[in-house]
Amino acid sequence: MRRVCSAHEAGRSRTVASAVRKRTPWRSLALAGVVAILCTGCAETVTKHGHLFQENDLAQISPGMSAEQVKTSLGTPTTTASVGTGTAYYYISSVEAQTAFFASKERDRRVVAVYFSPHGSVDHVAQYGLKDGKVFDYVKNETPSMAKDEGILKALFRNLGVKQLGLD
């Protein structure tokens, strides 16, 4: 059986077919856009914290400089400490990387320690890296308790058989 269609139906079928062909590039572009957005979510995010020094910055620090001269050259230290009979400035920097929703990992850590003599002049400069340090938790988010870990039944029956004061 052969179907015979009118000129109007034939024209309409051609416009539908051409509309389908016109939408195809948009769909592929939309698909490419979605894939590009998903791929950017997997990109690594690098975060830098603290003082990031170049080797020539540290070459400016020499024994005998005052604490003010060190602050002028390197900036304000991250932290200071009393070490022995002198003091020390610590400049701490770290680089962390995070991929998507995973936990961030520390890629690099540098600590530049400037040690001062008791007179206030630079004694020596030391650099420490990630391999030189030990990882420990500064904040445990725990409250120390003197109570013993015991079950509810033991806590309820702990004083059973013990003579109570004032109940003679």
Side-chain angles (χ1 to χ4, degrees), residues 145-159:
S145 172
M146 302 310 287
K148 299 175 187 172
D149 270 346
E150 53 187 31
I152 185 77
L153 291 176
K154 188 173 181 181
L156 287 173
F157 296 114
R158 176 178 348 134
N159 293 328

Side-chain angles (χ1 to χ4, degrees), residues 28-99:
S28 60
L29 285 175
L31 180 65
V34 169
V35 168
I37 289 171
L38 291 176
C39 287
T40 58
C42 296
E44 186 174 72
T45 304
V46 176
T47 307
K48 298 177 181 178
H49 299 281
H51 301 279
L52 300 174
F53 295 114
Q54 304 295 328
E55 291 301 320
N56 57 357
D57 294 336
L58 298 177
Q60 296 174 3
I61 306 302
S62 60
M65 291 178 70
S66 70
E68 287 302 317
Q69 290 173 326
V70 171
K71 282 185 183 178
T72 303
S73 297
L74 298 180
T76 305
T78 307
T79 187
T80 60
S82 296
V83 179
T85 57
T87 58
Y89 285 174
Y90 295 100
Y91 296 90
I92 304 169
S93 66
S94 66
V95 177
E96 293 181 350
Q98 181 178 9
T99 304

